[in-house]
Structures are given as structure tokens and as C-alpha cells.
Amino acid sequence: MVPDSEEARLFLASCGLELCVANGDETPAPLDIVQQLSSAYVEPVVVVPMDVPNPVEELGRQWHGVAARQRLAAEDGRFLILLAGPGASARGWFCVKDSVGRDLPARLLEGNGSLEFIALSMDGKRICATSEEDDGSWVVYEEVSS
């Protein structure tokens, strides 16, 4: 799936995301962000144990809370997202707006088969991601290292 393609637009719409124009903003390479988040020093800001009632729903609440507090989305609602799956780094960032505003991990799980994703602010400086780990699902917030 290529960013700016009809396939991408339709898939993202099925997840409640509107494909947007990035306006040529400078962004770090996806692989650089993936490598930063793969560091042994990355710690979650929230861990959602899998044995809590509705863990995917709780992960969504926690992710949206962290993303809002850290002002991940631009004033116009845009942010960048890297979807999980083979070839994610090569596919690159999708510029999106979230038309639903809640339950993003659940919507991506339904559409993409994974609740993992990396979201990046439009200025390329703030990361808010989800991941599945042995102790549950994580919400990770990091600032992009220079």
C-alpha cells in the first residue's frame, strides 16, 4: 500500500482515518523511529495488562490520553502514522486525521490485524506508539532523538 494511493485512502477510511496531505513537512525516516523505539532504554508510560477487562479498549483510552497531553496532533488534527506489518518502514508515513477520536488501537486491530502502530507529530519531534509485549500492551511516548 503506497501513501497517497486510493488503496491507502480506502483502508485508512475503513479505520476512521482520513488521508491528508503532509505539506512537505520534514519528518524522520520511519526506520530511524523504529530503531529508536527498539532501544533497550525505552520504557512505557502506560502498561495495560492483558487480564484487565477490555484490554484493547483500555489501551485506546490510555493512548488517546497520552497523545492529547503531549499534543501529538497538529492544531488542524493531522499526525503521521506508521502501520504495523511487513514493509512498514518502506511504505513510510501516512498523514492522517482521526475522524473518530477514540479507540484507534481497536480500529487498527480490526482493519490491519495489529494494534501496534507508531504515531508521530507533524513536526517530527514527538512519538506516541503502542506495542504488544510479554507483560501486556504498552503506550510509549518519546521525543525524537537528534
Side-chain angles (χ1 to χ4, degrees):
M1 179 170 33
V2 177
D4 300 333
S5 69
E6 183 65 9
E7 177 190 16
R9 188 188 67 72
L10 291 171
F11 171 75
L12 292 167
S14 75
C15 297
L17 297 170
E18 175 189 343
L19 187 61
C20 302
V21 176
N23 294 338
D25 296 324
E26 282 285 318
T27 56
L31 191 53
D32 292 344
I33 300 300
V34 170
Q35 288 174 338
Q36 179 177 337
L37 291 177
S38 298
S39 163
Y41 301 106
V42 171
E43 293 288 331
V45 292
V46 177
V47 176
V48 177
M50 295 313 288
D51 60 355
V52 301
N54 303 310
V56 175
E57 185 178 308
E58 181 61 22
L59 179 65
R61 270 194 298 275
Q62 295 296 332
W63 183 86
H64 283 279
V66 172
R69 283 189 302 279
Q70 300 298 339
R71 297 181 320 272
L72 183 77
E75 285 185 25
D76 63 3
R78 292 179 308 145
F79 63 95
L80 302 169
I81 193 166
L82 187 65
L83 302 172
S89 293
R91 210 173 24 245
W93 298 107
F94 293 94
C95 180
V96 297
K97 286 184 186 178
D98 186 352
S99 59
V100 177
R102 67 184 188 301
D103 302 325
L104 183 56
R107 289 182 278 138
L108 291 174
L109 178 61
E110 186 176 314
N112 197 34
S114 175
L115 56 75
E116 292 188 337
F117 65 96
I118 300 171
L120 181 68
S121 60
M122 292 302 297
D123 63 7
K125 295 182 180 177
R126 295 176 307 285
I127 307 163
C128 191
T130 62
S131 69
E132 294 180 86
E133 305 295 334
D134 293 337
D135 59 347
S137 296
W138 287 12
V139 176
V140 175
Y141 174 79
E142 291 278 315
E143 294 191 1
V144 175
S145 51
S146 303

